[in-house]
Amino acid sequence: MKNQQLRYFVEVVDSGSINKASEKLFVSQPSLSRSIQSLEEEMGKELIIRSNHGVTLTPTGRLMYYYAQSILSQFQVLERLKDVSEEKLYSKLTVSVDSVFLRDDLILQFYKHMKSATTEIHMVETTAEQVLANVSEMKSEIGITILNDYQLSIYRKMADAKEIELNILGKGPLYVHINEKNLDELVEEKDARDFLDFTLIHLPYDFFSNLNMSLTMDGVQLSRFKKTITMSNYHAIINMLNHTDAFMLGNKWQIEELKHSHIHSMRIRNCDIQKYFVIIRRKREVLSEAGKVFLNIIHETYADM
């Protein structure tokens, strides 16, 4: 069974007669009849019934017609692939993220910029350590993490060893995020001790988060917070902040997104911890078109915060 046989068969059915089909195909009637007969012999069944009024389909011919249309359509798609660039055919975005609530419309913006027929998006919420591993092991093309001064110096050394490039998009102070209903007043700063009776929500522990346990905020070590919840999903964390007395330590790049959920952000008095918005990628590797588009959106969204 050949592509040409199917094309001739479909045209005969669409035209309603072998005579009209031969004129459209610029093929002689005897050649067209032989092609249909050969197809019928291969199928072992009659496909069309010929008469002075034209042709009609048998039950098998009707099924054959629908399947042939589908097959020919797929052949047309394959032919078009010859003239279409890889970027327009398929795009894939793989990003690992740690410690930041990316705006909900980021992926929508990304999708609107892409021209591909098929777009695959993988966003992984994980730890800073796993972000580095995912980019190094080519599971993610881009990594985004928020690190403090102490973490950043060690992270940079580990990244260099893995041939990973670090780009600092910006920096800002440490923030506490807590639901408005858990506060007597919405202030810009509070003492770290004011939160000791609240529950600290913590992302899953890894090497870099463990480094923080010895850090102090206004004389209070993180290890002094006895009530903690470890959670890995950012939207689940927001839900927990909204319905409990929990708080989380974060950064300025989360503030605008958290405001929508009535979560107030404030600084800790006498705390000089700085947080850095870090973008990582593999050195000496050209980003995919999807990666370039996504990074442009990230820069436009967060660079001036």
Side-chain angles (χ1 to χ4, degrees):
M1 190 179 300
K2 298 178 181 178
N3 179 298
Q4 185 185 69
Q5 288 177 298
L6 296 178
R7 188 163 60 87
Y8 285 178
F9 171 70
V10 168
E11 188 57 53
V12 167
V13 175
D14 289 342
S15 300
S17 74
I18 291 179
N19 183 34
K20 291 180 180 178
S22 68
E23 293 176 358
K24 291 183 179 179
L25 294 169
F26 301 101
V27 177
S28 67
Q29 290 187 40
S31 294
L32 197 53
S33 294
R34 284 195 298 272
S35 177
I36 299 298
Q37 184 178 358
S38 175
L39 192 59
E40 288 178 321
E41 289 174 356
E42 188 171 347
M43 292 297 297
K45 294 180 181 179
E46 193 175 33
L47 300 175
I48 61 175
I49 299 172
R50 302 156 180 81
S51 69
N52 293 332
H53 302 291
V55 298
T56 56
L57 290 168
T58 65
T60 300
R62 189 172 296 108
L63 284 175
M64 184 72 178
Y65 173 72
Y66 292 129
Y67 282 122
Q69 279 186 314
S70 176
I71 292 169
L72 291 173
S73 175
Q74 294 302 314
F75 270 114
Q76 289 177 352
V77 171
L78 291 175
E79 285 297 320
R80 288 199 295 271
L81 294 186
K82 296 177 182 178
D83 303 317
V84 180
S85 66
E86 293 289 331
E87 290 79 11
K88 291 183 178 179
L89 286 175
Y90 174 79
S91 60
K92 183 177 182 179
L93 175 67
T94 55
V95 180
S96 288
V97 181
D98 162 61
S99 300
V100 62
F101 299 98
L102 293 179
R103 279 176 42 174
D104 286 338
D105 64 344
L106 278 183
I107 296 302
L108 182 59
Q109 288 185 54
F110 166 77
Y111 180 73
K112 287 180 177 178
H113 278 81
M114 299 309 296
K115 308 298 183 183
S116 307
T118 301
T119 303
E120 188 175 342
I121 302 171
H122 291 275
M123 299 290 291
V124 180
E125 296 174 353
T126 185
T127 64
E129 185 176 9
Q130 193 59 51
V131 167
L132 185 60
N134 286 350
V135 174
S136 175
E137 297 167 8
M138 303 183 71
K139 294 178 181 177
S140 294
E141 184 177 21
I142 297 167
I144 296 174
T145 184
I146 309 295
L147 302 170
N148 61 41
D149 315 64
Y150 183 42
Q151 292 171 319
L152 180 59
S153 62
I154 299 174
Y155 204 86
R156 194 185 298 278
K157 291 177 182 178
M158 294 177 66
D160 285 341
K162 295 177 179 288
E163 290 294 300
I164 300 297
E165 172 185 316
L166 269 63
N167 292 298
I168 309 300
L169 188 62
K171 73 174 183 176
L174 177 71
Y175 277 85
V176 170
H177 305 303
I178 188 168
N179 194 277
E180 294 174 358
K181 69 176 185 292
N182 292 318
L183 298 169
D184 296 328
E185 57 179 334
L186 303 182
V187 296
E188 294 184 2
E189 290 186 336
K190 259 185 174 295
D191 294 331
R193 292 173 182 81
D194 293 335
F195 298 98
L196 286 174
D197 292 330
F198 290 85
T199 302
L200 172 62
I201 294 181
H202 200 291
L203 292 168
Y205 288 91
D206 69 346
F207 172 77
F208 292 98
S209 60
N210 285 331
L211 291 175
N212 287 334
M213 300 311 291
S214 61
L215 291 179
T216 60
M217 305 177 299
D218 190 20
V220 177
Q221 280 193 339
L222 283 182
S223 57
R224 286 188 59 187
F225 291 93
K226 302 303 181 186
K227 295 168 62 179
T228 62
I229 302 174
T230 302
M231 303 181 71
S232 60
N233 180 272
Y234 294 134
H235 289 287
I237 289 173
I238 292 175
N239 192 49
M240 188 66 72
L241 290 172
N242 281 331
H243 295 93
T244 68
D245 67 347
F247 74 98
M248 71 174 294
L249 298 174
N251 51 76
K252 68 177 185 178
W253 300 282
Q254 298 168 324
I255 294 175
E256 289 303 316
E257 198 63 23
L258 292 175
K259 279 182 180 178
H260 302 308
S261 300
H262 302 287
I263 295 170
H264 183 63
S265 303
M266 69 191 83
R267 295 179 58 175
I268 299 290
R269 289 194 185 100
N270 303 315
C271 177
D272 58 0
I273 296 174
Q274 290 291 310
K275 307 284 274 187
Y276 297 82
F277 192 116
V278 183
I279 300 172
I280 71 171
R281 49 179 287 194
R282 291 180 291 278
K283 291 180 179 179
R284 293 181 289 278
E285 182 170 313
V286 178
L287 283 176
S288 67
E289 189 63 28
K292 293 176 184 176
V293 169
F294 182 75
L295 277 190
N296 283 338
I297 293 172
I298 289 294
H299 277 267
E300 290 172 3
T301 304
Y302 293 105
D304 296 327
M305 281 190 172

